[in-house]
Structures are given as structure tokens and as C-alpha cells.
Amino acid sequence: MTSLSVKTVPSKSKFDFGEFFRRYGTAVIFLLLVVCATMLSSSFLSERNIMNVLRQVSGTGIMAVGMLLVILTRGIDLSVGSIAALGSVLSAVIVAQYSTGASIAMVILAGAACGMISGVLVAYVRLQPFVMTLAMMAIARGMALIISNGQPIMMGERGDTITDFGTSFVYGVPMPVLLMLGVFMVAALVLNFTKFGRLIKAIGSNEEAVRLSGIPVARYVLAVYAISGALAAVAGIISTSRSGVGSATVGVGSELDVIAAVVIGGASLMGGRGSVFNTLLGVLVFGVIGNIMNLINVPGYHQQVFMGVIIVVAMLLQKGTGWLKR
């Protein structure tokens, strides 16, 4: 009997463009924007301009970390801009009565308390995150206006330590930028190497399965909203440190910027997907786009239109990677 041997030819693996763009799309967009910005303006790559871009996005970046955690659980936090305003006003008011360290701690706790209120009603009462955080947005902004009486509050001499932080440099890098990078590093460690990080991703992917496994889902959801509120308050302190003024107008529309940065970074609004590094790239993409428009003198009102279009394009790209994978 003659035996027939069949020679198998290994099939060439097909390049998965959808998966590639899902992983590295934000980095590609960022590099393309840098190239375009360099071509449009010779001053873009100057050290002064780069540090200016990083300083401008430092507050947005810190809020984006909190927003990423919330979005990973399939939530949303529309109150971050208003909590930042409350943090800005409180930092100017409290520092006149207490030490700098105590003042900063109390402001951060106030932001965390706002986030916890939203978290309790979302996690335990099961209110919709959009509606609850929309209500908190109005409450926090209203409190900031009441405390400040609608007027800017000067820091005064007692706030010199805070204002020094906002205007100081370490090896040419602004202190707020170093703080932002520190927050991103801590968030990366938490999401990638701790049980907390793994669980909030799992909650966003399949909340019911996590609940049935005996995990107290509500506690984790509450925690991410509290963290988001605390980081928003930190962003408000940074705003006050840079200007020396506590203002209830800080952060108007910031929730749009923050959500856009997180979405541009590839996080899914359906939860469970997103990374700290890509969120940082999303923040930088957002900052570079704004900087380009300023360098080529695009009017302010037109910039708002472009920012809205960017969010739509980012969402379409998310859908597009799904189509390509099919």
C-alpha cells in the first residue's frame, strides 16, 4: 500500500489593520499632527512652545485620568469642570485661614466628596451617570459662585506657596507638568498591576459577571467617581496656582475637552477598554490641535467647532476599527 503524504504549507498571517490602529492609532495621529504643526509653524518645536502646550494641558490631563477610570466602568462624569471651579475657589478661600498643606488636603477632600455623592447615587441608587453628574455639574458650579460671590478671589501672601508651584520649573519643566506625569504614572501602575485596576476594567466589560463572582461592584464604581472628583479639584488648584486667582469660571466646558481627550486616546464609551498611555497621547493630541489653531490664528469660536468635529471623528475611528476587524 502506498502512503500519500500531504505537505502543509503554512498560511501567511494576514495583517490586521483594525487591531493595529486600535493599539497604535492615537500614536500615529499624534505623530502626524506633530509633523503638520512643524510644517505650519516654525515655532512649534521651540522649547518655549512645547512647555507652553504641556502646561496648558496639565489640568486637562489630570482630569482625564479620573475620567478614564469612570469610563472604564461604563460611566461618564460631566461634573469635572465644575468641581475644578469649586477647587479653584476653595483653594483661594481656605488658604487664607489654614496652612498650605491643610488647605490643599481640604480642597481635594471637597472634590472627592462631590464625586462620592455622584458615585453613591450611580452605584447604589442606580441613577444614570449622565443625569447624576449633570446635576452635580450644576451644584458644584453653583457652590463655587456662591462662595466667591461671583467675583475672582486673589490668593494673597498666604497663597505664595501654591502660586510658586504653578510658576516654578524643575530642569526646565513646569511643576504642574511634572505633577500631571506623576498622576499618569500612578494610574498606569494601578490599572496594570493591581486588583483594583483589573476589576474596574472587568466591571466595564461585564458588570453582571463580576457581580455574580461575589465582587462588591458598587464600591468600585463609587471609588472611581470619588477619584475623578478629587483629581478635578487638583486641576482647580493648578489653575489657581498658575493665575494666583480663584475663579468660579474655571473649567467651563472642560468636561468636553476631557471626554474628547479620553475618547481620542482610544477608550471605549461602552467601558472595559482604555489605557493610561493612550489617554496621555489623547491629551497631547488635543493640546497640539489647540496649539496649531492658535499658531495659525484660527478664531476662538471656530476652534470650538473643530473640537466638536474631532470628537465625532474619534468615535468614527473607533467604529472603523471594529469594521476592519470583521
Side-chain angles (χ1 to χ4, degrees), residues 127-188:
L127 294 183
Q128 288 295 322
F130 182 91
V131 177
M132 183 56 236
T133 57
L134 183 65
M136 181 53 68
M137 178 175 72
I139 293 169
R141 182 75 62 182
M143 290 176 64
L145 289 166
I146 291 169
I147 294 170
S148 65
N149 199 25
Q151 301 295 322
I153 302 174
M154 301 298 295
M155 290 288 288
E157 293 183 1
R158 294 290 299 271
D160 285 348
T161 304
I162 294 177
T163 53
D164 287 344
F165 174 84
T167 55
S168 297
F169 294 78
V170 176
Y171 297 108
V173 181
M175 287 294 289
V177 175
L178 292 176
L179 177 60
M180 176 189 73
L181 295 177
V183 170
F184 271 100
M185 288 180 62
V186 171

Side-chain angles (χ1 to χ4, degrees), residues 64-237:
V65 171
M67 186 68 73
L68 172 65
L69 299 179
V70 171
I71 286 177
L72 283 173
T73 63
R74 201 177 290 189
I76 198 76
D77 190 354
L78 300 178
S79 65
V80 290
S82 296
I83 295 176
L86 182 61
S88 175
V89 169
L90 287 177
S91 60
V93 171
I94 297 176
V95 78
Q97 306 173 36
Y98 300 94
S99 65
T100 301
S103 300
I104 292 173
M106 284 188 280
V107 172
I108 295 174
L109 286 173
C114 291
M116 287 184 69
I117 294 171
S118 297
V120 166
L121 293 174
V122 169
Y124 292 96
V125 185
R126 310 295 291 177
L127 294 183
Q128 288 295 322
F130 182 91
V131 177
M132 183 56 236
T133 57
L134 183 65
M136 181 53 68
M137 178 175 72
I139 293 169
R141 182 75 62 182
M143 290 176 64
L145 289 166
I146 291 169
I147 294 170
S148 65
N149 199 25
Q151 301 295 322
I153 302 174
M154 301 298 295
M155 290 288 288
E157 293 183 1
R158 294 290 299 271
D160 285 348
T161 304
I162 294 177
T163 53
D164 287 344
F165 174 84
T167 55
S168 297
F169 294 78
V170 176
Y171 297 108
V173 181
M175 287 294 289
V177 175
L178 292 176
L179 177 60
M180 176 189 73
L181 295 177
V183 170
F184 271 100
M185 288 180 62
V186 171
L189 292 173
V190 169
L191 279 180
N192 295 318
F193 301 105
T194 68
K195 176 183 176 182
F196 177 83
R198 292 190 295 270
L199 281 176
I200 64 171
K201 287 183 178 180
I203 290 169
S205 299
N206 193 332
E207 180 179 336
E208 188 60 27
V210 175
R211 181 179 287 106
L212 291 175
S213 65
I215 303 298
V217 171
R219 293 182 190 176
Y220 288 88
V221 174
L222 170 61
V224 296
Y225 280 95
I227 293 170
S228 180
L231 292 178
V234 171
I237 296 172

Side-chain angles (χ1 to χ4, degrees), residues 187-305:
L189 292 173
V190 169
L191 279 180
N192 295 318
F193 301 105
T194 68
K195 176 183 176 182
F196 177 83
R198 292 190 295 270
L199 281 176
I200 64 171
K201 287 183 178 180
I203 290 169
S205 299
N206 193 332
E207 180 179 336
E208 188 60 27
V210 175
R211 181 179 287 106
L212 291 175
S213 65
I215 303 298
V217 171
R219 293 182 190 176
Y220 288 88
V221 174
L222 170 61
V224 296
Y225 280 95
I227 293 170
S228 180
L231 292 178
V234 171
I237 296 172
I238 289 177
S239 175
T240 301
S241 72
R242 290 176 54 194
S243 64
V245 176
S247 174
T249 61
V250 165
V252 174
S254 289
E255 51 281 337
L256 174 67
D257 298 347
V258 173
I259 294 170
V262 175
V263 172
I264 290 171
S268 172
L269 292 176
M270 298 304 294
R273 194 183 77 200
S275 74
V276 173
F277 178 70
N278 279 344
T279 298
L280 175 58
L281 285 178
V283 171
L284 295 178
V285 165
F286 208 75
V288 169
I289 291 171
N291 186 246
I292 292 173
M293 291 191 288
N294 287 329
L295 290 175
I296 62 177
N297 298 318
V298 176
Y301 296 133
H302 294 69
Q303 291 188 21
Q304 295 298 316
V305 175

Side-chain angles (χ1 to χ4, degrees), residues 1-5:
M1 177 182 280
T2 305
S3 61
L4 297 176
S5 60

